[in-house]
Every structure is written in C-alpha cells, then in structure tokens.
Amino acid sequence: LGELGATCLLLTVSPEHIVERLTFRVRASGQVVDARELREEADRWLSEQDTMVREASKSSLPTTLLNTDAMEWDSYAAQILASAGPSL
C-alpha cells in the first residue's frame, strides 16, 4: 500500500479535552448521562485512542496524528485533502 501512496491519518483528542468533547456530543444528541457514565465513556475513548495510536505506530505506512481539540473542522478537512495530494 505504501508504494501506492497510502498513508494513515488518525484524528485525536487530547486527554484533557475528552470529557468536554463527549459532553458536547451527548448534548447534541439529546441523550442524558450522569457524570459517572460520562467519565467511564471518556476512559474507554482514551483507551481506544491510545490503542489506535500504538497500532498505527507499528505500521509501515506514514502516519499523521491530527489533534482536533479546537474543533476547526474546515481546517482539518483542508489539511487532509492537502496531504492526499492531487490524486483526489
């Protein structure tokens, strides 16, 4: 895949922002969760993110971590498209 120009791109959230991000998602979806459930979900999220980063580091493909703390989605989309090159 690397010879074909494939890369790995992971969108991440800093640990100190995970609870805030999940709270935003919960409110946007209309769900109701208590603080304990939110903390448990944040712990799961962080664990899964750590696993994805660790596994990506084992790949022979070039890997880019894109931190999304600022939630500047248009900027992230532009960065992703720019990194994909002219083939898209």
Side-chain angles (χ1 to χ4, degrees), residues 11-14 17-33 38 41-42 44-46 48-49 52 66 68-69 71 73 76:
L11 303 180
T12 64
V13 179
S14 297
H17 292 282
I18 289 177
V19 170
E20 174 187 356
R21 181 69 59 82
L22 290 173
T23 301
F24 177 80
R25 287 182 174 191
V26 165
R27 287 184 181 149
S29 71
Q31 295 176 339
V32 177
V33 297
L38 193 58
E41 183 61 25
R44 277 191 297 275
W45 181 287
L46 184 58
E48 289 175 14
Q49 179 175 273
M52 288 187 282
L66 182 56
T68 63
D69 288 349
M71 298 193 313
W73 307 115
Y76 307 143

Side-chain angles (χ1 to χ4, degrees), residues 74-85:
D74 291 339
S75 172
Y76 307 143
Q79 290 176 56
I80 291 166
L81 289 173
S83 72

Side-chain angles (χ1 to χ4, degrees), residues 1 4 7 18 28 36 38 54 58 61 65 71 79 85:
L1 289 174
L4 297 173
T7 63
I18 289 177
R36 180 188 53 79
L38 193 58
R54 185 175 54 254
K58 297 176 185 177
L61 296 177
L65 300 179
M71 298 193 313
Q79 290 176 56

